[in-house]
Amino acid sequence: MAIIHTTADSFLEIAARQTPGTPAVMKEALLVSPEGFGLSEQSAADNPYMTTGLPLDLDKASRQHETLVSKLEELGVKTHIFSGIAGQADGVFPNNVFAAAPGRLVIGSMRHPVRRKEAEREDIRAFFSETLGYEIRDLSMEACIAEMTGPLVIDRARNIGFCGMSPRVDETGCALMAEALGLDATLRFDLAEGEYHTNLVLAIAAGELCLVHPGSVPNPFLLKSLRAIYEDRVLLLRESEKNAFAGNCIAATEKDLLFSQKAKNVLREETITALEDWSFRIHFLDVSEFEKAGGSVRCLVAEIF
């Protein structure tokens, strides 16, 4: 089983040895269209970002999803779209269930029964095993909770991970994910009470920078580690920015960052200026229907490496 680090010093001993050079961003993307999309009562029990009580406009959700797909294709990311399935309300967020490393698909072990059905999808399994020729590592059969790149934020360029602990991952799940994805070092830390997925409060962009909300990751050794690795390219998010899904951005290419329109409305000008000064192109997409269900741009995309 993978060695999981719980102190900055031990983690940085390994992380500092990693030399960027492996692919920092996805080569292709997997998305699930919003047929069957809804607001899951089970997910609402521990997802504070969900907005319950509001009706969903499924036609609007379909248009927003198509726009996201078009943007990825425009930026040169080949996309593979799978249909949603009735009864799988959260299926539009495949990154929690399916994560890839070069030549391997890892299937997560979900906390809530409604999401466990997603891990059983034979069409997605067959796509990876038969079409792409990937090995499949199935954590859904393990006695653990491991919601993949929800709790586990990965710097692909350095092959290191940051796993925030919450009810959506346990210690066994953290270790199994790190091992299955072949990470060289993984830092485990607690999220603040009430937070549920690390990818809402921490984003690593193409191995070049990170955005983090310090109040959601109170362990001081996490910020110490981030500053040691990314130096002056650590952008601190305010509470309002975090709550508007600014931490749920994703690098589509090494120079293109996707944020939601909701994030745009609250991002500070100095944050946008810093990103642009570092030669990143910023794209804002309206995914408001999906944000009602507690996920934004990053959650809608399962990366393929």
Side-chain angles (χ1 to χ4, degrees):
M1 190 171 288
I3 297 176
I4 303 300
H5 301 269
T6 56
T7 68
D9 291 341
S10 67
F11 174 70
L12 290 171
E13 282 181 14
I14 305 299
R17 300 177 199 162
Q18 307 309 312
T19 302
T22 55
V25 294
M26 59 187 154
K27 63 176 183 178
E28 299 177 12
L30 181 153
L31 292 89
V32 175
S33 56
E35 297 93 349
F37 174 48
L39 300 178
S40 165
E41 291 184 6
Q42 292 179 22
S43 297
D46 60 355
N47 182 343
Y49 295 87
M50 288 183 67
T51 307
T52 56
L54 291 180
L56 289 177
D57 185 334
L58 294 182
D59 288 336
K60 185 177 181 181
S62 293
R63 294 193 299 272
Q64 291 176 351
H65 201 267
E66 290 168 1
T67 299
L68 170 59
V69 170
S70 296
K71 175 58 68 174
L72 288 169
E73 294 276 3
E74 174 191 320
L75 296 174
V77 180
K78 183 177 181 180
T79 59
H80 304 275
I81 314 301
F82 288 81
S83 296
I85 297 175
Q88 296 184 12
D90 290 320
V92 293
F93 303 129
N95 81 298
N96 304 145
V97 186
F98 304 102
R104 178 181 294 179
L105 170 70
V106 183
I107 300 173
S109 181
M110 310 305 290
R111 181 186 187 202
H112 296 299
V114 68
R115 300 218 66 184
R116 292 176 198 154
K117 297 176 183 177
E118 297 171 43
E120 300 172 1
R121 290 192 60 152
E122 290 298 334
D123 54 348
I124 293 179
R125 289 169 176 257
F127 167 71
F128 278 94
S129 63
E130 298 172 15
T131 303
L132 298 184
Y134 278 32
E135 170 195 1
I136 293 182
R137 176 70 187 276
D138 189 357
L139 301 187
S140 70
M141 307 303 293
E142 304 284 350
C144 69
I145 302 173
E147 299 203 353
M148 303 313 301
T149 52
L152 181 64
V153 172
I154 303 172
D155 181 334
R156 300 283 182 165
R158 294 174 176 79
N159 201 38
I160 59 177
F162 301 87
C163 189
M165 303 304 291
S166 77
R168 297 299 188 98
V169 64
D170 58 23
E171 291 186 8
T172 300
C174 174
L176 287 174
M177 288 191 298
E179 179 185 42
L181 290 166
L183 299 180
D184 292 315
T186 300
L187 183 64
R188 192 183 75 212
F189 52 92
D190 290 332
L191 295 180
E193 185 175 355
E195 296 293 344
Y196 88 113
H197 271 168
T198 314
N199 71 7
L200 274 298
V201 302
L202 172 65
I204 308 292
E208 293 289 329
L209 61 90
C210 72
L211 300 94
V212 62
H213 178 244
S216 297
V217 285
N219 312 64
F221 62 74
L222 174 65
L223 199 56
K224 174 183 177 180
S225 298
L226 294 174
R227 291 195 185 282
I229 295 168
Y230 304 103
E231 299 176 341
D232 61 341
R233 293 193 173 192
V234 177
L235 297 175
L236 303 184
L237 297 173
R238 290 178 176 172
E239 183 83 6
S240 59
E241 294 172 314
K242 184 264 293 188
N243 290 338
F245 298 97
N248 202 239
C249 60
I250 187 170
T253 77
E254 292 186 352
K255 288 301 177 185
D256 291 282
L257 285 177
L258 307 184
F259 287 85
S260 75
Q261 183 66 38
K262 186 171 184 177
K264 177 184 180 181
N265 295 337
V266 299
L267 272 173
R268 286 169 289 167
E269 186 62 37
E270 55 262 41
T271 298
I272 295 175
T273 298
L275 293 171
E276 292 174 340
D277 286 346
W278 297 331
S279 301
F280 280 90
R281 295 178 290 267
I282 306 174
H283 309 269
F284 295 103
L285 297 162
D286 183 5
V287 292
S288 54
E289 291 305 304
F290 302 101
E291 288 173 332
K292 292 176 182 178
S296 191
V297 179
R298 196 275 166 270
C299 291
L300 291 165
V301 180
E303 302 160 296
I304 300 175
F305 292 87

